[in-house]
Amino acid sequence: MATSSLNCGVCDLRNISKLSAIWCNECDEGLCEGCQEHHSLSKGSQNHTVIPISEYRKLPSDVIKISQFCDKHNEQYIIYCKKHECPCCSSCIVQSHNRCDEIAKLDDVIKNPKASNAFYEIEQTLVEVVENIGKIRQDRQKNQLTLSESRKQIEKEITETRIAINNHIDKIQADIIKELCASEDKESRKIRQMLISLEEKQP
């Protein structure tokens, strides 16, 4: 579709200004209600695809800029070259694509987009994306399991280390108390002996 005035294209040629009621994709122009009736009855255009002008207004600007006519030859695109993935007019076929084997009617390609190489590549890419997402999910689940196992192992090591430290501290405490008791007994004996000696020396 090319960017065009929303006035009726046929009426414009007759220097009459009328707003379009529909948009014809093949003619690449808008048509008023009067011209629409003639357009729908004419053998050359009765099978054309048309949409309400209100729907045409809603189309993105990038879509509207797509032309139905070849910029080089000003002829309507009728063929699609699968090898080069581009639409072609009759002159394009003769001049540039006469040796291309993979060509098809543009209407057939539009009706069956799965026949195009581009669609196949997109489809394959989507399949690969889904597969990659699955692999990433599995890796993340595996990582999560590994993290959980690592946490449990670290907790176990911390508990074992704490028990070992507590046991070591208990042993040190017991040894100190034992030495303290031994020192107390030793000093007590010395004091008792001294007292006995003093008593014996008294007159």
Side-chain angles (χ1 to χ4, degrees), residues 72-119:
K72 186 176 181 180
H73 304 109
N74 197 29
E75 297 179 18
Q76 189 171 13
Y77 291 128
I78 56 174
I79 298 295
Y80 183 80
C81 178
K82 296 181 181 179
K83 179 180 179 180
H84 297 99
E85 296 184 354
C86 65
C88 309
C89 68
S90 57
S91 296
C92 288
I93 294 296
V94 174
Q95 295 179 13
S96 307
H97 299 269
N98 56 341
R99 295 185 179 180
C100 297
D101 296 329
E102 299 182 40
I103 58 174
K105 290 183 178 180
L106 188 59
D107 289 342
D108 293 340
V109 174
I110 294 173
K111 291 176 182 177
N112 184 22
K114 289 189 176 182
S116 68
N117 291 335
F119 185 90

Side-chain angles (χ1 to χ4, degrees), residues 140-156:
R140 294 298 177 269
Q141 290 174 345
K142 184 178 180 181
N143 290 343
Q144 187 176 13
L145 180 61
T146 302
L147 285 173
S148 178
E149 292 176 350
S150 298
R151 177 185 57 79
K152 291 178 181 179
Q153 180 63 29
I154 292 172
E155 288 179 353
K156 180 181 178 182

Side-chain angles (χ1 to χ4, degrees), residues 28-180:
D28 199 26
E29 65 180 358
L31 299 169
C32 66
E33 292 181 355
C35 294
Q36 174 187 357
E37 182 178 0
H38 180 271
H39 181 270
S40 63
L41 297 175
S42 174
K43 289 183 179 180
S45 58
Q46 61 183 357
N47 293 323
H48 286 188
T49 302
V50 297
I51 59 174
I53 201 67
S54 58
E55 295 298 321
Y56 175 79
R57 292 175 184 271
K58 296 177 183 178
L59 294 175
S61 59
D62 291 340
V63 175
I64 293 176
K65 291 177 182 178
I66 299 174
S67 176
Q68 300 287 330
F69 291 84
C70 175
D71 294 334
K72 186 176 181 180
H73 304 109
N74 197 29
E75 297 179 18
Q76 189 171 13
Y77 291 128
I78 56 174
I79 298 295
Y80 183 80
C81 178
K82 296 181 181 179
K83 179 180 179 180
H84 297 99
E85 296 184 354
C86 65
C88 309
C89 68
S90 57
S91 296
C92 288
I93 294 296
V94 174
Q95 295 179 13
S96 307
H97 299 269
N98 56 341
R99 295 185 179 180
C100 297
D101 296 329
E102 299 182 40
I103 58 174
K105 290 183 178 180
L106 188 59
D107 289 342
D108 293 340
V109 174
I110 294 173
K111 291 176 182 177
N112 184 22
K114 289 189 176 182
S116 68
N117 291 335
F119 185 90
Y120 176 77
E121 291 177 0
I122 292 173
E123 196 172 37
Q124 289 298 111
T125 301
L126 290 176
V127 170
E128 292 177 2
V129 168
V130 171
E131 290 178 352
N132 289 336
I133 291 175
K135 291 179 181 178
I136 292 173
R137 181 180 298 171
Q138 290 179 354
D139 289 341
R140 294 298 177 269
Q141 290 174 345
K142 184 178 180 181
N143 290 343
Q144 187 176 13
L145 180 61
T146 302
L147 285 173
S148 178
E149 292 176 350
S150 298
R151 177 185 57 79
K152 291 178 181 179
Q153 180 63 29
I154 292 172
E155 288 179 353
K156 180 181 178 182
E157 292 176 359
I158 290 174
T159 301
E160 291 175 350
T161 302
R162 183 173 181 179
I163 292 173
I165 292 173
N166 288 342
N167 291 338
H168 184 65
I169 292 175
D170 290 343
K171 185 177 182 302
I172 292 174
Q173 180 181 353
D175 291 342
I176 291 174
I177 292 175
K178 183 178 180 181
E179 290 179 3
L180 185 60

